[in-house]
Amino acid sequence: MTEEKTVGDVTEAVAFEGVVVNLYKSDANDGDAPFATTLTNSDGYFKFEGLPTIDYKIVIEQVGYDSYTSEDFSVKVDETPYIEILVVPTV
């Protein structure tokens, strides 16, 4: 099994630092623990490294903003998926 990575950023006109980004296997059930978790840096970027080449989804829940769940995406050999996430304030 080859280990790869995925990167992305969380924005809303300005970068969000310290946002918890949860990575789940695409077949995870509600209540399952994340496969991996990281925080966004001062520029709003995040990175997961050393990932097995399978399908994933990203879930972000930030107080004051709508939760976000990505479409399923694949991590493949010699590819780095880039996921751009725009958070929307809760109305």
Side-chain angles (χ1 to χ4, degrees):
M1 186 179 310
T2 302
E3 292 186 348
E4 298 299 322
K5 61 186 174 182
T6 188
V7 297
D9 68 310
V10 179
T11 60
E12 185 230 19
V14 296
F16 269 112
E17 180 177 9
V19 173
V20 177
V21 182
N22 293 306
L23 182 72
Y24 292 88
K25 292 180 180 178
S26 64
D27 61 356
N29 296 310
D30 287 343
D32 285 354
F35 181 81
T37 299
T38 193
L39 297 173
T40 56
N41 66 16
S42 61
D43 294 321
Y45 289 96
F46 62 89
K47 181 189 309 186
F48 293 99
E49 295 185 289
L51 299 176
T53 53
I54 61 174
D55 293 340
Y56 298 95
K57 62 184 170 187
I58 288 175
V59 177
I60 294 176
E61 294 176 338
Q62 181 71 17
V63 174
Y65 293 85
D66 291 345
S67 61
Y68 170 86
T69 301
S70 72
E71 297 291 323
D72 291 356
F73 63 93
S74 296
V75 172
K76 299 177 183 170
V77 175
D78 297 326
E79 291 183 15
T80 302
Y82 182 84
I83 312 296
E84 185 173 20
I85 299 165
L86 179 64
V87 292
V88 178
T90 303
V91 285

